């Protein structure tokens, strides 16, 4: 199947079959897709919290209370839930870690290439630091990872639900994210839909091509 076929068949799952679990091999593949997601200047300003046990999902469900209670059954009944987090800042120590990983992976032919990469990435970080929007910039990169995960899940026949309807402050506190320089962004439930999922039978709807494309 083509990527377009997977995009046409995927939808936002509204109810999960709690008796069905996604094979660990598939989960491992989806996690690798997340790790390999693109990001601006390869900044990778993210972290992923993976809940696979009832206890782990119950902790994430603490972010689906009050006005977000409608998402709690999805979190508790899904096979796995991934919380996508973004970094507050890209400090010198973090940038050094990324640069060293690139060196270890053989991306630099010489010291000049390494210096060019470091200077380029640092210039973008300083640009956004000057604009005061590094957290927002990091969040945008995290959403690139979200898109990669959703299309990858569809390709593996796994249902998914991206959830911005979460109490981010509650999750940050529950998981101690602030102390790690992180903030929760969006949760993604993974699993297989139940027969009660009304959205599974509805036709897909998007604006027509002539409304969303301008050809020059």
């Amino acid at each position: 199947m083509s990527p377009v076929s997977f995009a046409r068949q995927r939808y936002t799952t509204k109810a999960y079959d709690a008796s069905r679990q996604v094979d660990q091999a598939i989960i491992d593949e989806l996690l690798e897709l997340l790790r390999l997601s693109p990001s601006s200047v390869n900044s990778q300003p993210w972290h992923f919290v993976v809940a696979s046990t009832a206890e782990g999902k119950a902790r994430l469900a603490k972010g689906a209370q009050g006005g977000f209670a409608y998402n709690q059954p999805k979190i508790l009944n899904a096979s796995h839930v991934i919380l996508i987090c973004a970094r507050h800042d890209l400090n010198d120590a973090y940038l050094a870690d990324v640069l060293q990983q690139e060196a270890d992976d053989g991306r630099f032919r010489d010291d000049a290439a390494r210096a060019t990469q470091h200077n380029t990435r640092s210039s973008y970080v300083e640009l956004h630091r000057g604009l005061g929007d590094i957290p927002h910039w990091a969040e945008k990169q995290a959403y690139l990872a979200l898109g990669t995960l959703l299309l990858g899940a569809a390709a593996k026949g796994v249902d998914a639900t991206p959830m911005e309807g979460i109490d981010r402050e509650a999750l940050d506190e529950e998981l101690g994210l602030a102390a790690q320089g992180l903030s929760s962004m969006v949760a993604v439930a993974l699993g297989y839909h139940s027969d009660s999922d009304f959205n599974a039978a509805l036709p897909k709807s998007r604006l027509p091509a002539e409304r969303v494309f301008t050809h020059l």
Side-chain angles (χ1 to χ4, degrees):
M1 292 177 64
S2 71
V4 171
S5 297
F6 294 126
R8 284 177 175 152
Q9 75 180 28
R10 72 148 301 276
Y11 74 102
T12 297
T13 300
K14 301 299 184 181
Y16 284 89
D17 182 346
S19 69
R20 298 187 65 190
Q21 297 294 300
V22 180
D23 288 345
Q24 189 59 47
I26 294 177
I27 293 297
D28 290 343
E29 191 169 353
L30 295 178
L31 296 181
E32 184 66 357
L33 276 176
L34 279 173
R35 193 180 72 86
L36 296 174
S37 295
S39 61
S40 178
V41 291
N42 200 30
S43 55
Q44 306 168 66
W46 48 50
H47 189 80
F48 310 108
V49 178
V50 183
S52 59
T53 64
E55 294 78 12
K57 287 181 285 185
R59 292 186 68 186
L60 293 189
K62 292 181 180 180
Q65 299 179 13
F68 303 117
Y70 60 91
N71 274 329
Q72 192 170 94
K74 302 182 188 76
I75 293 172
L76 295 176
N77 293 330
S79 171
H80 291 68
V81 182
I82 299 174
L83 182 65
I84 299 176
C85 307
R87 296 184 62 87
H88 295 163
D89 191 19
L90 283 73
N91 58 30
D92 290 344
Y94 177 76
L95 294 178
D97 285 344
V98 174
L99 189 71
Q100 186 58 53
Q101 186 64 58
E102 290 170 330
D104 293 344
D105 290 335
R107 290 191 53 83
F108 307 130
R109 64 182 181 275
D110 53 33
D111 289 344
R114 176 174 178 145
T116 297
Q117 174 70 345
H118 174 67
N119 292 336
T120 299
R121 184 159 45 233
S122 296
S123 70
Y124 274 92
V125 172
E126 289 307 312
L127 170 64
H128 286 281
R129 183 168 287 121
L131 293 170
D133 73 343
I134 281 185
H136 180 59
W137 184 47
E139 182 176 346
K140 289 192 290 185
Q141 310 317 308
Y143 272 75
L144 292 177
L146 170 63
T148 299
L149 174 61
L150 294 179
L151 189 58
K156 300 302 294 185
V158 175
D159 293 319
T161 308
M163 292 173 283
E164 287 186 314
I166 54 175
D167 187 333
R168 291 166 52 174
E169 290 184 2
L171 286 173
D172 290 354
E173 181 177 354
E174 170 66 23
L175 301 171
L177 295 179
Q180 303 173 58
L182 299 167
S183 292
S184 54
M185 293 289 109
V186 57
V188 184
L190 299 170
Y192 301 103
H193 70 271
S194 72
D195 293 339
S196 64
D197 182 7
F198 70 90
N199 210 26
L202 295 179
K204 200 173 191 73
S205 177
R206 295 292 188 272
L207 291 170
E210 58 268 23
R211 287 282 302 276
V212 297
F213 295 110
T214 295
H215 297 277
L216 302 179

